[in-house]
Each structure stands twice: as C-alpha cells, then as structure tokens.
Amino acid sequence: PLHRKEDPHRRRRLNLLILISLSTSILYAISDEFHQTFIPGRSGEVSDVLLDSTSALIGIYLVMFMYQKITSRNPASLKTE
C-alpha cells in the first residue's frame, strides 16, 4: 500500500488541537464541579472531574480514529487548494 509522507507541521498542529481540546474539557469539568458546591443538595466530586476528563479523552480518540479511517480511504479529501 502507498503511504503518504508524514508532515511534521501537521503533526504539531494536531497535537496542539488535542491539547487544547482536552485542557478545555478538563477546565470545564473542574469549573462545573466547583459551581455545584454552591448549589444546595449538590456537591463537587473529584471522581466526576475524572469521569468527565476520561470521557473527553475517549471522544477525542474516537474523532481521531474516524478521521484516520476517512482520510486513509480518500487521501484526496485532505487537499485544500
């Protein structure tokens, strides 16, 4: 099979997007749990932050997996001219 050459700039952009996505999700989970401490009958739980963060990581992985499957079938879909 033919493999396209890995673009180091593309890899860096992808890593940055993953980092931003995961960081945003974790910060939102933390702020949501903090907010819940002010609601009567609710409490902020570290386990909920961990669950939300793990879910975000799984979601990011699934999107990357689907993107890889789509682009490996049709590499021309990546061209942006």
Side-chain angles (χ1 to χ4, degrees):
L2 296 174
H3 295 282
R4 66 179 184 270
K5 188 175 179 181
E6 183 71 25
D7 179 5
H9 297 292
R10 180 184 213 134
R11 174 54 70 180
R12 278 188 232 130
R13 284 191 309 263
L14 179 61
N15 287 341
L16 181 61
L17 286 174
I18 291 169
L19 179 64
I20 290 170
S21 298
L22 188 58
S23 298
T24 302
S25 298
I26 292 170
L27 288 174
Y28 186 83
I30 291 169
S31 69
D32 184 44
E33 293 304 313
F34 178 70
H35 171 262
Q36 288 184 32
T37 62
F38 297 103
I39 309 298
R42 303 289 305 262
S43 63
E45 302 290 334
V46 173
S47 60
D48 285 346
V49 172
L50 293 174
L51 181 62
D52 293 342
S53 302
T54 301
S55 299
L57 190 58
I58 290 169
I60 291 168
Y61 173 77
L62 287 174
V63 168
M64 289 175 52
F65 178 77
M66 289 186 303
Y67 178 79
Q68 182 181 18
K69 286 292 185 186
I70 291 168
T71 57
S72 66
R73 288 184 185 167
N74 185 9
S77 66
L78 294 176
K79 292 183 180 177
T80 56
E81 294 184 48

